[in-house]
Amino acid sequence: MARTIAVSGSASGIGQALASMLRDAGDTVIGIDLRDADVRADLGGPEGRSRAVAEVLDLSGGTLDAVVACAGVSDFTVLPVKVNYFGAVALLDGLRPALARAAAPRAAVVGSIAGTHPVDEAVVRACLDGDEAAALRAAAKVVEAGAGSQTYSSSKSALAQWLRRACVTPEWAGAGIPLNAIAPGVVRTPMTEPLFADEAMFQIMNEAVPMPLNGYADAEVIAEALRWLISPVNTHMTGQVIYVDGGAEPALRDPGVF
Ligand SMILES: NC(=O)c1ccc[n+]([C@@H]2O[C@H](COP(=O)([O-])OP(=O)(O)OC[C@H]3O[C@@H](n4cnc5c(N)ncnc54)[C@H](O)[C@@H]3O)[C@@H](O)[C@H]2O)c1
């Protein structure tokens, strides 16, 4: 049966691949992005987030079968905290009542292998406290200290922890809504193009994200995994961060981590 699915970051990369896969299968996709989308909104700030939620509710008629928060940025500023964490959480929280009205609702976010890299604990804590001003202050200190990549890793770590807390609550599990993440390794998209173009960055990326199984992924690989997570057949998996990363996570982490 055709479903109505909201996808943020639908204008590029993984979100675009997912949106076109779903549309090809007959679903109605409500794309959200800064440009080239059904809903054009900036998820980096409160006004854009509220407008995105309101417009998606309007276009969907108030019922959504699935939401995928895919929009993200990876620059070494405070922006990843705004978009990757607060933008994603606001979208999911804002659209959750519309999911609760569907027969088989599903939600997913796009995390990252970077969520397992070093993070700034003050940023993560402020995110989980829902204190965006404090998170941005802490992130600005991280940038000033020259550890800008940690704003990205912190945003993705916080997002994974948020979903593991939220997924079992009455609002999510109690409403029958599985909430999971796909955490990619390196995916060939416009986001990573500059890394492939720069020899020094390429070396750093190879060391930070070793991918012994089949190397770098295409966006469609991640989109397929997201598609399964939000399909009606996923009745019992929730709170999971699934690494679709060519083996980077087992290569990097203690095998005793469960
Ligand atoms: N490409 C990778 O290697 C990789 C690895 C791990 C995780 N990810 C995650 O996957 C997701 C998708 O990344 P991608 O590689 O497809 O990147 P991409 O740059 O191709 O696409 C990201 C999309 O998000 C949109 N976006 C950015 N800021 C926004 C904002 N403020 N409001 C609304 N939309 C905004 C962009 O316009 C763009 O269309 C991101 O969350 C990213 O962190 C990517």
Side-chain angles (χ1 to χ4, degrees), residues 18 86 110 146 190 194 215 225 242:
L18 177 64
F86 286 98
V110 180
I242 312 296

Side-chain angles (χ1 to χ4, degrees), residues 23-216:
R23 285 186 178 120
D24 287 351
D27 291 325
T28 298
V29 174
I30 302 174
I32 308 154
D33 209 304
L34 294 169
R35 59 186 164 81
D36 303 330
D38 306 289
V39 173
R40 284 186 296 278
D42 181 354
L43 296 170
E47 187 274 331
R49 293 168 196 154
S50 308
R51 201 158 43 74
V53 167
E55 288 188 25
V56 171
L57 291 177
D58 197 36
L59 288 172
S60 66
T63 302
L64 278 170
D65 296 292
V67 176
V68 180
C70 187
V73 289
S74 62
D75 57 26
F76 292 1
T77 69
V78 302
L79 208 51
V81 173
K82 291 185 179 185
V83 180
N84 304 357
Y85 184 81
F86 286 98
V89 170
L91 192 68
L92 286 163
D93 275 343
L95 295 176
R96 195 198 55 76
L99 287 169
R101 285 183 209 107
R106 307 284 182 263
V109 304
V110 180
S112 173
I113 185 66
T116 67
H117 290 162
V119 299
D120 183 82
E121 289 301 339
V123 174
V124 172
R125 203 167 40 248
C127 286
L128 294 171
D129 287 346
D131 188 340
E132 187 166 2
L136 293 176
R137 279 195 302 276
K141 283 188 192 161
V142 171
V143 174
E144 267 169 42
S149 67
Q150 288 193 12
T151 62
Y152 183 73
S153 59
S154 301
S155 73
K156 294 296 190 181
S157 172
L159 188 60
Q161 293 182 56
W162 171 81
L163 91 84
R164 290 182 60 76
R165 291 172 185 204
C167 71
V168 289
T169 61
E171 288 76 20
W172 292 93
I177 315 170
L179 173 60
N180 294 285
I182 295 297
V186 177
V187 188
R188 289 184 182 276
T189 69
M191 180 180 276
T192 51
E193 252 167 40
L195 302 177
F196 285 100
D198 179 316
E199 183 61 30
M201 289 304 289
F202 185 69
Q203 290 296 340
I204 292 169
M205 180 172 78
N206 277 334
E207 278 163 35
V209 188
M211 297 178 67
L213 177 70
N214 292 330
Y216 306 120

